[in-house]
Amino acid sequence: GAKIGKDSAIMRGTSILDIEFLTIGECVNIGPRCLLDARAGIYIGNNVTIASDTQIIGGGHDVNHPDFLPIPIPTVIEDYVWIASRAMVLPSHIKRGAVVAAHALVNKDVDELTIVGGVPAKAIGKRDADALGYSGKYKPLFG
């Protein structure tokens, strides 16, 4: 199913829906008990860290259509993004180096190097571009 890059790790307890629409780059670390709903597509770049209990949703439904038709809007997460614990990411584009605070609800695009938090998520700071030289590679002791 999924396309997963070198040195990426998905911790135990993570659920993936429609795995064939999931693409994960290199050196990505996805924490335990996450939900990746890839029914409309999820793309995760390189050196991304997604902390525990995070939910990432691709797509939605047309609530005004009599058949509640799906809306295939993919979720895109670019390189060096950090998504903290228990955040929820609805269909959106999170650009390079952005940070999503714990418990935030992302319901629209996040600009490059922007730190967002709250429900719904709003900009609360900026990240230093010089901080993006790290590797997201992580090898857990007990996967």
Side-chain angles (χ1 to χ4, degrees), residues 1 3 6 9-10 14-15 23 30 39 48-49 57 63-64 66 77 89-90 98 101 103 105 125 136-137 139 142:
K3 295 178 186 101
K6 181 179 177 195
I10 300 173
T14 290
S15 298
T23 300
I30 299 174
R39 288 180 283 181
V48 172
T49 300
I57 312 296
V63 297
N64 293 314
I77 300 168
V89 178
L90 299 177
H103 290 270
L105 171 64
K137 180 179 178 181
K139 274 299 201 204
F142 304 106

mmCIF file of all heavy atoms in Angstrom, residues 1 3 6 9-10 14-15 23 30 39 48-49 57 63-64 66 77 89-90 98 101 103 105 125 136-137 139 142:
data_model
loop_
_atom_site.group_PDB
_atom_site.id
_atom_site.type_symbol
_atom_site.label_atom_id
_atom_site.label_comp_id
_atom_site.label_asym_id
_atom_site.label_seq_id
_atom_site.Cartn_x
_atom_site.Cartn_y
_atom_site.Cartn_z
ATOM 1 N N GLY A 1 0.667 -1.216 0.000
ATOM 2 C CA GLY A 1 0.000 0.000 0.000
ATOM 3 C C GLY A 1 0.713 1.299 0.000
ATOM 4 O O GLY A 1 0.806 1.935 -1.018
ATOM 5 N N LYS A 3 3.514 4.417 0.303
ATOM 6 C CA LYS A 3 4.895 4.696 -0.104
ATOM 7 C C LYS A 3 5.571 5.326 1.104
ATOM 8 O O LYS A 3 5.155 6.397 1.555
ATOM 9 C CB LYS A 3 4.912 5.648 -1.294
ATOM 10 C CG LYS A 3 4.293 5.058 -2.534
ATOM 11 C CD LYS A 3 4.308 6.075 -3.671
ATOM 12 C CE LYS A 3 3.550 5.508 -4.833
ATOM 13 N NZ LYS A 3 2.197 6.029 -4.963
ATOM 14 N N LYS A 6 12.940 5.998 3.293
ATOM 15 C CA LYS A 6 13.988 5.410 4.117
ATOM 16 C C LYS A 6 14.056 6.090 5.492
ATOM 17 O O LYS A 6 13.873 7.296 5.614
ATOM 18 C CB LYS A 6 15.321 5.578 3.378
ATOM 19 C CG LYS A 6 16.501 5.000 4.088
ATOM 20 C CD LYS A 6 17.762 5.204 3.270
ATOM 21 C CE LYS A 6 18.948 4.680 4.037
ATOM 22 N NZ LYS A 6 20.202 5.146 3.499
ATOM 23 N N ALA A 9 9.651 5.930 10.664
ATOM 24 C CA ALA A 9 9.127 5.007 11.665
ATOM 25 C C ALA A 9 7.701 5.388 12.028
ATOM 26 O O ALA A 9 7.386 6.564 12.211
ATOM 27 C CB ALA A 9 10.007 5.036 12.924
ATOM 28 N N ILE A 10 6.835 4.376 12.127
ATOM 29 C CA ILE A 10 5.458 4.548 12.585
ATOM 30 C C ILE A 10 5.314 3.702 13.838
ATOM 31 O O ILE A 10 5.499 2.486 13.796
ATOM 32 C CB ILE A 10 4.448 4.112 11.508
ATOM 33 C CG1 ILE A 10 4.634 4.940 10.230
ATOM 34 C CG2 ILE A 10 3.024 4.243 12.035
ATOM 35 C CD1 ILE A 10 3.796 4.455 9.058
ATOM 36 N N THR A 14 -0.882 3.006 15.804
ATOM 37 C CA THR A 14 -1.335 3.967 14.793
ATOM 38 C C THR A 14 -2.241 3.260 13.795
ATOM 39 O O THR A 14 -1.938 2.155 13.359
ATOM 40 C CB THR A 14 -0.125 4.610 14.082
ATOM 41 O OG1 THR A 14 0.540 5.469 15.022
ATOM 42 C CG2 THR A 14 -0.540 5.430 12.886
ATOM 43 N N SER A 15 -3.362 3.899 13.468
ATOM 44 C CA SER A 15 -4.325 3.350 12.503
ATOM 45 C C SER A 15 -4.229 4.139 11.209
ATOM 46 O O SER A 15 -4.105 5.364 11.237
ATOM 47 C CB SER A 15 -5.749 3.451 13.046
ATOM 48 O OG SER A 15 -5.885 2.691 14.213
ATOM 49 N N THR A 23 1.491 8.734 1.417
ATOM 50 C CA THR A 23 2.887 8.858 1.008
ATOM 51 C C THR A 23 3.657 9.524 2.145
ATOM 52 O O THR A 23 3.268 10.597 2.619
ATOM 53 C CB THR A 23 3.025 9.715 -0.272
ATOM 54 O OG1 THR A 23 2.285 9.089 -1.321
ATOM 55 C CG2 THR A 23 4.479 9.855 -0.687
ATOM 56 N N ILE A 30 6.377 9.057 13.243
ATOM 57 C CA ILE A 30 4.971 9.165 13.601
ATOM 58 C C ILE A 30 4.770 8.439 14.922
ATOM 59 O O ILE A 30 5.036 7.239 15.023
ATOM 60 C CB ILE A 30 4.060 8.586 12.500
ATOM 61 C CG1 ILE A 30 4.272 9.381 11.205
ATOM 62 C CG2 ILE A 30 2.596 8.615 12.934
ATOM 63 C CD1 ILE A 30 3.558 8.832 10.007
ATOM 64 N N ARG A 39 -8.097 8.578 3.066
ATOM 65 C CA ARG A 39 -9.082 8.289 2.028
ATOM 66 C C ARG A 39 -9.035 9.280 0.866
ATOM 67 O O ARG A 39 -9.321 8.914 -0.269
ATOM 68 C CB ARG A 39 -10.483 8.222 2.614
ATOM 69 C CG ARG A 39 -10.686 6.972 3.457
ATOM 70 C CD ARG A 39 -12.047 6.912 4.035
ATOM 71 N NE ARG A 39 -12.118 7.830 5.175
ATOM 72 C CZ ARG A 39 -13.199 7.989 5.916
ATOM 73 N NH1 ARG A 39 -14.307 7.324 5.641
ATOM 74 N NH2 ARG A 39 -13.191 8.808 6.945
ATOM 75 N N VAL A 48 9.779 14.999 9.096
ATOM 76 C CA VAL A 48 8.565 15.437 9.775
ATOM 77 C C VAL A 48 8.412 14.636 11.061
ATOM 78 O O VAL A 48 8.653 13.428 11.084
ATOM 79 C CB VAL A 48 7.330 15.242 8.861
ATOM 80 C CG1 VAL A 48 6.038 15.498 9.617
ATOM 81 C CG2 VAL A 48 7.435 16.120 7.629
ATOM 82 N N THR A 49 8.001 15.324 12.126
ATOM 83 C CA THR A 49 7.724 14.669 13.396
ATOM 84 C C THR A 49 6.247 14.869 13.726
ATOM 85 O O THR A 49 5.774 16.004 13.777
ATOM 86 C CB THR A 49 8.592 15.254 14.525
ATOM 87 O OG1 THR A 49 9.967 15.047 14.189
ATOM 88 C CG2 THR A 49 8.283 14.587 15.852
ATOM 89 N N ILE A 57 -6.506 14.023 8.779
ATOM 90 C CA ILE A 57 -7.640 13.641 7.947
ATOM 91 C C ILE A 57 -7.438 14.182 6.533
ATOM 92 O O ILE A 57 -7.139 15.355 6.367
ATOM 93 C CB ILE A 57 -8.965 14.213 8.514
ATOM 94 C CG1 ILE A 57 -9.097 13.957 10.019
ATOM 95 C CG2 ILE A 57 -10.158 13.701 7.730
ATOM 96 C CD1 ILE A 57 -9.182 12.527 10.443
ATOM 97 N N VAL A 63 -21.906 18.332 3.190
ATOM 98 C CA VAL A 63 -23.033 18.191 4.112
ATOM 99 C C VAL A 63 -24.351 18.647 3.497
ATOM 100 O O VAL A 63 -25.419 18.325 4.027
ATOM 101 C CB VAL A 63 -22.782 18.955 5.435
ATOM 102 C CG1 VAL A 63 -21.593 18.364 6.166
ATOM 103 C CG2 VAL A 63 -22.604 20.437 5.185
ATOM 104 N N ASN A 64 -24.296 19.369 2.376
ATOM 105 C CA ASN A 64 -25.507 19.846 1.721
ATOM 106 C C ASN A 64 -25.974 18.966 0.574
ATOM 107 O O ASN A 64 -27.015 19.235 -0.018
ATOM 108 C CB ASN A 64 -25.310 21.285 1.237
ATOM 109 C CG ASN A 64 -25.157 22.232 2.409
ATOM 110 O OD1 ASN A 64 -25.917 22.160 3.362
ATOM 111 N ND2 ASN A 64 -24.163 23.084 2.352
ATOM 112 N N PRO A 66 -27.564 15.536 -0.905
ATOM 113 C CA PRO A 66 -28.444 14.501 -0.345
ATOM 114 C C PRO A 66 -27.767 13.149 -0.137
ATOM 115 O O PRO A 66 -28.208 12.358 0.701
ATOM 116 C CB PRO A 66 -29.586 14.382 -1.361
ATOM 117 C CG PRO A 66 -29.231 15.208 -2.526
ATOM 118 C CD PRO A 66 -28.068 16.077 -2.166
ATOM 119 N N ILE A 77 1.660 17.799 4.079
ATOM 120 C CA ILE A 77 2.540 18.242 5.150
ATOM 121 C C ILE A 77 3.953 18.262 4.583
ATOM 122 O O ILE A 77 4.507 17.209 4.245
ATOM 123 C CB ILE A 77 2.437 17.294 6.368
ATOM 124 C CG1 ILE A 77 0.993 17.278 6.885
ATOM 125 C CG2 ILE A 77 3.420 17.707 7.454
ATOM 126 C CD1 ILE A 77 0.701 16.180 7.880
ATOM 127 N N VAL A 89 -5.507 17.548 12.319
ATOM 128 C CA VAL A 89 -5.257 18.251 11.068
ATOM 129 C C VAL A 89 -6.324 17.834 10.071
ATOM 130 O O VAL A 89 -6.376 16.681 9.650
ATOM 131 C CB VAL A 89 -3.850 17.937 10.520
ATOM 132 C CG1 VAL A 89 -3.623 18.638 9.193
ATOM 133 C CG2 VAL A 89 -2.777 18.329 11.538
ATOM 134 N N LEU A 90 -7.194 18.775 9.709
ATOM 135 C CA LEU A 90 -8.203 18.547 8.686
ATOM 136 C C LEU A 90 -7.576 18.852 7.323
ATOM 137 O O LEU A 90 -6.444 19.348 7.260
ATOM 138 C CB LEU A 90 -9.415 19.431 8.971
ATOM 139 C CG LEU A 90 -10.113 19.161 10.320
ATOM 140 C CD1 LEU A 90 -11.254 20.144 10.525
ATOM 141 C CD2 LEU A 90 -10.588 17.737 10.414
ATOM 142 N N ALA A 98 6.732 24.486 9.484
ATOM 143 C CA ALA A 98 5.676 24.947 10.390
ATOM 144 C C ALA A 98 5.602 24.047 11.624
ATOM 145 O O ALA A 98 6.052 22.895 11.601
ATOM 146 C CB ALA A 98 4.333 24.969 9.664
ATOM 147 N N ALA A 101 0.895 23.299 17.466
ATOM 148 C CA ALA A 101 0.951 23.090 18.910
ATOM 149 C C ALA A 101 0.048 21.935 19.338
ATOM 150 O O ALA A 101 -0.878 21.544 18.626
ATOM 151 C CB ALA A 101 0.533 24.373 19.634
ATOM 152 N N HIS A 103 -2.853 19.846 20.881
ATOM 153 C CA HIS A 103 -4.307 20.018 20.958
ATOM 154 C C HIS A 103 -4.862 21.032 19.961
ATOM 155 O O HIS A 103 -6.034 21.403 20.069
ATOM 156 C CB HIS A 103 -4.751 20.385 22.380
ATOM 157 C CG HIS A 103 -4.608 19.271 23.355
ATOM 158 N ND1 HIS A 103 -5.609 18.369 23.593
ATOM 159 C CD2 HIS A 103 -3.571 18.901 24.141
ATOM 160 C CE1 HIS A 103 -5.202 17.491 24.503
ATOM 161 N NE2 HIS A 103 -3.968 17.789 24.840
ATOM 162 N N LEU A 105 -6.339 22.535 16.399
ATOM 163 C CA LEU A 105 -7.201 22.047 15.330
ATOM 164 C C LEU A 105 -6.891 22.858 14.072
ATOM 165 O O LEU A 105 -7.278 24.019 13.970
ATOM 166 C CB LEU A 105 -8.677 22.205 15.691
ATOM 167 C CG LEU A 105 -9.659 21.933 14.557
ATOM 168 C CD1 LEU A 105 -9.587 20.478 14.114
ATOM 169 C CD2 LEU A 105 -11.060 22.301 14.957
ATOM 170 N N GLY A 125 3.303 32.414 16.469
ATOM 171 C CA GLY A 125 4.734 32.699 16.442
ATOM 172 C C GLY A 125 5.358 32.296 15.120
ATOM 173 O O GLY A 125 4.680 31.808 14.208
ATOM 174 N N GLY A 136 14.926 13.921 11.034
ATOM 175 C CA GLY A 136 13.825 13.384 11.826
ATOM 176 C C GLY A 136 13.968 11.899 12.111
ATOM 177 O O GLY A 136 13.072 11.294 12.687
ATOM 178 N N LYS A 137 15.091 11.331 11.721
ATOM 179 C CA LYS A 137 15.295 9.889 11.908
ATOM 180 C C LYS A 137 15.245 9.542 13.380
ATOM 181 O O LYS A 137 15.869 10.183 14.211
ATOM 182 C CB LYS A 137 16.644 9.474 11.324
ATOM 183 C CG LYS A 137 16.940 8.008 11.466
ATOM 184 C CD LYS A 137 18.272 7.652 10.844
ATOM 185 C CE LYS A 137 18.585 6.189 11.029
ATOM 186 N NZ LYS A 137 19.882 5.836 10.458
ATOM 187 N N LYS A 139 14.878 5.849 15.812
ATOM 188 C CA LYS A 139 14.701 4.397 15.921
ATOM 189 C C LYS A 139 14.323 4.069 17.352
ATOM 190 O O LYS A 139 15.149 4.148 18.254
ATOM 191 C CB LYS A 139 15.998 3.672 15.558
ATOM 192 C CG LYS A 139 16.175 3.412 14.095
ATOM 193 C CD LYS A 139 15.059 2.534 13.603
ATOM 194 C CE LYS A 139 15.442 1.857 12.333
ATOM 195 N NZ LYS A 139 14.345 1.458 11.530
ATOM 196 N N PHE A 142 11.667 -0.195 21.197
ATOM 197 C CA PHE A 142 10.688 -1.277 21.080
ATOM 198 C C PHE A 142 9.576 -0.950 20.097
ATOM 199 O O PHE A 142 8.433 -1.264 20.332
ATOM 200 C CB PHE A 142 10.081 -1.591 22.456
ATOM 201 C CG PHE A 142 11.117 -1.929 23.478
ATOM 202 C CD1 PHE A 142 11.458 -1.030 24.475
ATOM 203 C CD2 PHE A 142 11.756 -3.144 23.437
ATOM 204 C CE1 PHE A 142 12.421 -1.345 25.409
ATOM 205 C CE2 PHE A 142 12.726 -3.466 24.373
ATOM 206 C CZ PHE A 142 13.058 -2.570 25.365
#
